[in-house]
Structure formats: C-alpha cells, structure tokens
Amino acid sequence: MYRPRAWIITIGNELLIGRTVNTNAATIARELTLRGVLVKRIVVVGDSIDEIATAVREALGSADIVVTTGGLGPTDDDMTMEAVAAAIDEPLVLNPEALEMVKKFYGEKGLPLTRERIKMAYLPRGAEPLPNPVGAAPGAYIIYSGSHIIMLPGVPAEMEAMLQEALKKLKPFLPRLCVVEEGITIRGVPESTLAPLLRRAAKSCSDCYVKSHPKGHEVREPVVEVKVLASAPNCETAKSRVRNMLGKLEALLNATHSPGKRGL
Amino acid sequence: MYRPRAWIITIGNELLIGRTVNTNAATIARELTLRGVLVKRIVVVGDSIDEIATAVREALGSADIVVTTGGLGPTDDDMTMEAVAAAIDEPLVLNPEALEMVKKFYGEKGLPLTRERIKMAYLPRGAEPLPNPVGAAPGAYIIYSGSHIIMLPGVPAEMEAMLQEALKKLKPFLPRLCVVEEGITIRGVPESTLAPLLRRAAKSCSDCYVKSHPKGHEVREPVVEVKVLASAPNCETAKSRVRNMLGKLEALLNATHSPGKRGL
C-alpha cells in the first residue's frame, strides 16, 4: 500500500535560538503518523523568505504533503505566505474569503482593518484559506504539482485547532491504514545485550518497526523501553502484529535473560 | 564580526512519529546562540544511513558547525557514525581510544566486550572520540573541509554532559561575542496594533533582533511578549543595546497606547 510522505517545516527564529521547544512538530508528526503518513523530515528555519522558500522547494521535491507552521501573523517577520508563494511561483494575492475572516474577527470587537490586519488575508494565488477558530490569522491549503501544502499558524492552540480541519481535506488522499504502537519496559538488561535479540525478533515481522530507547543507566540500572509500531488495513491486524512481536520479544528475553541469568 | 553558522541534525524515528518532543535541538540551539553562533537550520531525520548522510552533506554545504544527536548506541538502527563517514567519504574504523572508553565502561562492571559494545567504538577515520561521562557510547569530533562536525548521543542527560565538552573544542573558533536577550510583556494591545511600532523601533537598531510572540487572544485578552536580542563584543554593550531598544518600545507604546487610549 502506498503511504504518502510528508515534510514538516516549522518556522521561527525563536526555535533556532532555542527559546522555544518545538512541540508543534511533534503534534503534527503524531497526527500524520496515526493516519498512515510517513513523516520523512522535519525542518526548522528562521523568519526569512529565502530560508522558508528554500525549505518548501526542497520539501516539494520529495514529499506528497508539506505542513508549515508559523509566520502567518501581522508583523513584518511573518513571511510564510510570501515564501510559499515564491516557492510555487505564484503571486501573493488578497484572498476575498480570507479577508472576510479577518474582517469578521476584528469587526466583532469593533476594531478597524489596518494594513497589518489586511496583510493576514494575502495568500498564494490559488490557495484556499483555512478558518482559524482561535485567533486572527487564517491558514491556507493548496495543491501544487500533486503535493498538498498546508500552512498553519505557530501558536500551538491555533495550530492544533486548525490541523484537524486541514487533515479532513487530506482524508481522501490518505491510505486506509490503522497504525498501532505499544511498548514494554525491560529492567535489568543493558541495551547492548538486548540488541541482538531485538534484531532477531524484528527480522520475523517485515511490517513492524521495533526500536529500543535506553532510559536508565546502561549497566548500573538498565531500563530500556522497547516500542513496536505496526500498520495494517485494519486495527485488529495491526494490533495483533504488535502483540505478536512483543510476545516474541518476551519469549526471547525469558529464554536468554531469565532473572537468574541477568546481569550479562 | 564573522559569526559561524550552524546546522543541528537530530536523528531518530521517535522524533518523526511524534513520540518524542525534540528538546535536544532547543538545548543545543540555545548553547550555540549564547556563544555567538547563528543556528541556521535544525533538521530531523529518521534512522536511515541515506537520510542522515544526505542531511550531513547538505549541512556541510552551508554550515561551519554541524551538531548531530542520536544514533550512537549499540543497536542496528544506531547508524550516525556510519552515515557521517559516508557523508565525508571516510571509512568507519575501530578507534583505539574509543574502544578503551567502551572497554573501561563495561569492564568496571565486569561485563564482556560483545559485538554490539565494540560497534560503539567505530568512528569515521580521523575523528576524535568524545568521552561520555554518563553512558556507554562515545561521541566524536572531526573537522572536515573547514567545518566542525560534533556527534553527540540522543539521550538528553548524556548529550548535555558531552555538549559542554564539545563546545570547549570549538572555543578557539567562536567569536568573542556576548549575546543578551530580554523581553517585556505587553497586555491589552493586539499584536496587529503593535506591529507598526515594533517595525519603527527595530529600524533604529541594526544589531538588535526584535520579535513579538502572541500569548493570549489577539483581541479578547491580548498578551504579547516582545523579545529583544542583541550581541556585542562585550556584555555591557549588548545589554545596553537591549535596554535601549526596550526603552524605545515602551516610550512608543505609552505615546500611542496609554491606558486611556488602549483597545485600538
């Protein structure tokens, strides 16, 4: 089954100077993964038209879905719409529907439309505005040369509210896949000792993805989380693949590292 | 003053499926920024030699400093050393000094050297191992064609302990700059109203970077954090640039949005 590939581009100098931890990228990655999309790359760039446009062009070269966050607001360093327009070679135009959204947002509070507010209604030509139920800046959605581009704001509450709406637009293009992940925590066995067991277990399931995550100290107090992820056309099958793999792992572990034999 | 440019490459499928929030990237970005380095891009790629090597090659094309995290452990999907070796066209070789570190780590606990443990001592030829005071896997440091590559583990406690050591190696190549950031929180003025003031204030200081971050609701309960970042050869100058800019902003704000006039 074909699984669409995605890139996530998160925009903002605050991410590049380490002031802000990129929770948006994790949220979007999780939502896409659960819908059967393979997230291939996450990129963080600063508030620069060139940097953003370059990243979008790179993403369009290899992704079916490109999600951007950040840079949609009223200030001069909010440049995502302009950068995406440049990347897809379209002009930035005042979108009447987006203007209505902005007008309504400020109008309800009796505030006038200023240059900064109108700016938020400029989208790449051909883009469809995505309503923002939380804040002022509309998002945008456009299909360019077969790739879906979704532009979302950077404020997490706004981004999260709009992501669900944006994903509805993608739905017809997404695989009918159920993705399941479960894990076990193994105590008392160093990750380096587990490695050959994981390799052996993983070989037996081509549709599973097995990964170990050391959480304690490698030998003093080893704690390793092993996560198994599997996808299948229905959730029952995906779940049983994960359970089978976890069962195999536990059997291998008991055979070679039963409590009496631990400490290898 | 020349400021070196850095890319941060964080490696791990757990980041691409959204299970893990990328705190490592923020930590490294902050530490580099405070030392006068311009972080230009953060990239997240999965556990794939090709994906990692591609990202490292791209980084080497435009960065003076490349920091990778993740993929140094004992399991088969820990592939960073092999990928960096491929990117810089060097073979992966067993590094005697790294082997000593691994041997000592396990030997102290009476554990034998296995294939998986020895694997962690293979570095790109020419690389210098970085001791890991917390875990088993050594990091590595190599200068390739004028660019500094630093490879750190992905477990945050190990990464953080080794980052400080790695930065000592970079010290002679870093600018003697002091970077200062301070901010003010403005309540009751929508970001779209602040935008022209910020533009005006920012124009007056070419060495400052001014950015607004909306934290509340745009009009119902506007809360905007304005951050000013400046760098200078000494901290006094950097600090006074930031303070001056914040002072200007407050003056502009009081002139146009004194409490009586708010609600624009």
Side-chain angles (χ1 to χ4, degrees):
Chain A
M1 184 179 294
Y2 180 73
R3 296 181 61 185
R5 286 151 181 260
W7 276 38
I8 300 167
I9 303 174
T10 52
I11 296 151
N13 289 4
E14 66 279 17
L15 296 161
L16 292 181
I17 64 173
R19 186 195 313 126
T20 305
V21 174
N22 200 348
T23 54
N24 279 348
T27 306
I28 298 167
R30 192 171 51 244
E31 295 295 323
L32 289 171
T33 302
L34 290 175
R35 284 165 181 81
V37 175
L38 291 170
V39 178
K40 298 300 285 181
R41 199 185 259 222
I42 298 166
V43 179
V44 183
V45 289
D47 302 303
S48 141
I49 292 182
D50 277 355
E51 302 275 348
I52 303 167
T54 301
V56 172
R57 273 188 213 106
E58 288 169 5
L60 288 171
S62 57
D64 307 291
I65 299 166
V66 181
V67 182
T68 74
T69 59
L72 301 190
T75 61
D76 278 1
D77 55 9
D78 288 310
M79 315 172 165
T80 301
M81 291 294 180
E82 197 172 342
V84 172
I88 64 174
D89 217 13
E90 289 286 350
L92 199 64
V93 295
L94 187 61
N95 181 293
E97 211 186 325
L99 186 62
E100 261 327 293
M101 295 175 187
V102 175
K103 207 185 254 176
K104 189 161 171 275
F105 180 86
Y106 288 101
E108 277 172 1
K109 288 92 188 173
L111 297 175
L113 276 183
T114 58
R115 176 190 138 180
E116 288 74 22
R117 290 167 187 159
I118 294 172
K119 170 186 176 291
M120 295 188 272
Y122 277 84
L123 312 188
R125 186 171 62 190
E128 178 187 335
L130 298 173
N132 185 335
V134 180
Y141 170 66
I142 189 166
I143 302 182
Y144 173 77
S145 187
S147 296
H148 304 259
I149 311 174
I150 293 168
M151 290 152 265
L152 302 174
V155 177
E158 300 182 19
M159 187 285 288
E160 282 161 32
M162 292 165 77
L163 179 61
Q164 297 308 325
E165 287 307 306
L167 289 172
K168 282 185 198 157
K169 296 210 174 287
L170 288 185
K171 207 176 170 198
F173 305 97
L174 297 180
R176 297 198 177 204
L177 266 188
C178 182
V179 181
V180 171
E181 190 189 52
E182 289 184 23
I184 48 171
T185 302
I186 299 169
R187 287 167 201 283
V189 185
E191 195 192 20
S192 56
T193 306
L194 282 179
L197 301 189
L198 295 180
R199 190 164 47 232
R200 230 188 302 162
K203 265 190 189 153
S204 67
C205 174
S206 60
D207 295 312
C208 303
Y209 176 70
V210 182
K211 187 159 181 177
S212 57
H213 298 276
K215 297 288 169 183
H217 184 273
E218 166 74 353
V219 295
R220 236 179 10 245
E221 216 177 324
V223 180
V224 181
E225 269 180 30
V226 178
K227 295 280 187 179
V228 178
L229 187 143
S231 54
N234 63 70
C235 294
E236 280 307 294
T237 314
K239 213 175 276 178
S240 82
R241 278 182 189 158
V242 169
R243 296 272 163 86
N244 280 344
M245 173 59 69
L246 289 173
K248 250 177 231 166
L249 264 174
E250 278 175 341
L252 273 170
L253 205 63
N254 287 332
T256 47
H257 301 281
S258 57
K261 297 187 201 164
R262 292 218 172 156
L264 284 185
Chain B
M1 185 178 298
Y2 179 73
R3 295 181 62 184
R5 287 152 180 258
W7 277 38
I8 299 167
I9 302 176
T10 54
I11 296 150
N13 290 3
E14 67 278 17
L15 296 161
L16 292 182
I17 65 173
R19 189 197 308 128
T20 304
V21 174
N22 200 349
T23 55
N24 279 347
T27 306
I28 299 167
R30 191 172 50 244
E31 294 296 323
L32 289 171
T33 302
L34 289 175
R35 285 165 180 82
V37 175
L38 291 171
V39 178
K40 297 301 285 182
R41 199 186 259 223
I42 298 166
V43 179
V44 183
V45 289
D47 302 302
S48 144
I49 294 184
D50 278 356
E51 302 275 347
I52 303 168
T54 301
V56 172
R57 274 189 212 105
E58 289 169 5
L60 288 171
S62 56
D64 307 291
I65 298 166
V66 180
V67 182
T68 74
T69 60
L72 301 190
T75 63
D76 278 0
D77 55 9
D78 287 309
M79 316 172 166
T80 302
M81 290 294 180
E82 198 173 340
V84 171
I88 65 175
D89 216 14
E90 289 286 351
L92 199 64
V93 296
L94 187 60
N95 182 293
E97 210 185 326
L99 187 61
E100 263 325 296
M101 294 175 187
V102 174
K103 208 186 249 174
K104 187 161 173 275
F105 181 84
Y106 288 101
E108 276 172 1
K109 287 94 189 175
L111 297 176
L113 274 183
T114 58
R115 176 191 139 182
E116 287 74 22
R117 288 166 189 160
I118 295 171
K119 170 186 175 291
M120 295 187 274
Y122 278 84
L123 313 187
R125 187 172 62 190
E128 177 187 335
L130 299 173
N132 184 337
V134 179
Y141 170 66
I142 188 166
I143 303 181
Y144 172 77
S145 187
S147 296
H148 304 259
I149 311 176
I150 293 169
M151 289 153 265
L152 301 175
V155 177
E158 301 181 20
M159 186 285 288
E160 282 162 31
M162 293 164 75
L163 178 61
Q164 297 308 324
E165 286 308 307
L167 290 172
K168 282 185 198 156
K169 296 213 173 286
L170 288 185
K171 206 174 170 198
F173 305 96
L174 298 179
R176 298 201 176 203
L177 265 186
C178 182
V179 180
V180 172
E181 190 190 51
E182 288 185 25
I184 48 170
T185 301
I186 299 168
R187 288 167 201 279
V189 185
E191 196 193 20
S192 56
T193 306
L194 281 179
L197 300 190
L198 294 180
R199 190 163 50 232
R200 230 187 304 162
K203 266 190 188 152
S204 67
C205 173
S206 61
D207 295 313
C208 302
Y209 175 70
V210 181
K211 187 160 180 176
S212 57
H213 298 277
K215 298 286 168 185
H217 184 274
E218 166 76 352
V219 296
R220 237 183 5 247
E221 216 175 325
V223 179
V224 180
E225 268 179 31
V226 178
K227 297 279 187 180
V228 178
L229 188 144
S231 54
N234 63 70
C235 295
E236 279 308 293
T237 314
K239 212 173 279 180
S240 83
R241 278 181 189 158
V242 168
R243 295 273 162 87
N244 279 345
M245 172 58 68
L246 288 173
K248 250 177 230 166
L249 263 174
E250 278 174 342
L252 272 170
L253 204 64
N254 287 333
T256 47
H257 302 281
S258 57
K261 295 187 201 164
R262 290 217 175 159
L264 282 185

